[in-house]
Amino acid sequence: MANIHVVLLLSPLLALTFCCLTFAADPASLQDFCVADSNNQVKMNGLACKNPAWVQANDFSFSGLHNPGNTGNPFGSAVTPVTVAQIPGLNTLGISMVRIDYAPWGVVAPHYHPRATEILTVIEGSLEVGFVTSNPDNRLISKTLQKGDVFVFPIGLVHFQRNIGHMNAVAISGLSSQNPGVSTIANVVFGSKPDISTDILAKAFQVDKNIVQQIQWRF
């Protein structure tokens, strides 16, 4: 009788545990595809599906990744995205990609992707790449890559790339989200709208408030 009481008491707990484990991962797809319907105004986690009867091959394709991006900017780099915004058929599939072009000594400034791990392959040139682990270690893990080399940037960690050659460089990256997002550290900290208080940033970076203001004005 005591065993029955124990089972009855534990049953709700076991059910809750099973429920949490079941929903801890992304749910399996319930259909072949869910092509994004850009005209649908429904707000949801992802994008509403287009009627499958209206889906065409163009919903799953993108042209132009062979074209170099314009690196004529202060960073000397350009990112050509291929996300759900470019290929509606990526909706709910959890993947995307980008082409990255680098002028000589061009950089992709420190940033992170809130929703994706990134795997980068060097197509041309030589790149210095790296990411920084979270607090308290803040360890820099960095490597020089050559043509054909691959490097992984874990989700949510700050990372960067720099062309260390005298010629243009090209890389292709795959990302584990249809909409990985990007937060560039300098823009987030110094270019927020409205500005983060100069007092806060001056204390955080241990510099004079005038220096913070000068940086904020650049954004």
Side-chain angles (χ1 to χ4, degrees):
M1 192 67 175
N3 289 338
I4 294 176
H5 288 158
V6 170
V7 171
L8 290 174
L9 287 171
L10 289 179
S11 292
L13 179 60
L14 293 173
L16 179 61
T17 302
F18 176 77
C19 174
C20 293
L21 290 173
T22 301
F23 291 102
D26 291 338
S29 178
L30 301 178
Q31 52 210 2
D32 290 338
F33 48 76
C34 174
V35 173
D37 183 357
S38 59
N39 296 318
N40 195 310
Q41 299 302 309
V42 174
K43 300 297 183 183
M44 55 191 299
N45 188 24
L47 298 167
C49 304
K50 180 186 290 188
N51 186 327
W54 302 340
V55 168
Q56 304 293 329
N58 286 342
D59 291 318
F60 298 92
S61 67
F62 172 84
S63 298
L65 210 58
H66 63 292
N67 295 320
N70 181 8
T71 58
N73 56 65
F75 298 104
S77 64
V79 176
T80 304
V82 186
T83 67
V84 69
Q86 288 75 38
I87 301 182
L90 286 177
N91 192 35
T92 74
L93 298 184
I95 57 169
S96 59
M97 65 185 297
V98 298
R99 169 182 171 140
I100 313 170
D101 290 276
Y102 313 81
W105 301 103
V107 303
V108 172
H111 65 285
Y112 67 93
H113 303 290
R115 295 179 290 275
T117 290
E118 177 179 354
I119 181 167
L120 177 145
T121 304
V122 179
I123 305 302
E124 293 290 346
S126 302
L127 297 178
E128 175 189 0
V129 303
F131 64 85
V132 179
T133 63
S134 56
N135 296 351
D137 294 338
N138 301 131
R139 180 185 171 201
L140 172 63
I141 297 178
S142 183
K143 185 177 178 65
T144 297
L145 305 181
Q146 307 297 335
K147 180 177 179 178
D149 290 345
V150 177
F151 197 82
V152 173
F153 305 108
I155 184 171
L157 295 186
V158 175
H159 58 281
F160 63 87
Q161 300 117 39
R162 178 174 68 153
N163 181 1
I164 56 174
H166 297 284
M167 305 292 288
N168 291 338
V170 181
I172 295 289
S173 280
L175 298 119
S176 61
S177 172
Q178 68 182 47
N179 182 26
V182 58
S183 293
T184 305
I185 303 306
N187 295 61
V188 168
V189 175
F190 296 105
S192 66
K193 298 177 180 61
D195 290 340
I196 298 174
S197 167
T198 54
D199 291 332
I200 294 173
L201 294 181
K203 276 195 174 183
F205 289 95
Q206 295 294 290
V207 297
D208 188 85
K209 288 195 295 185
N210 292 328
I211 295 176
V212 172
Q213 289 176 335
Q214 290 175 14
I215 298 174
Q216 287 178 323
W217 289 339
R218 296 179 66 88
F219 290 87

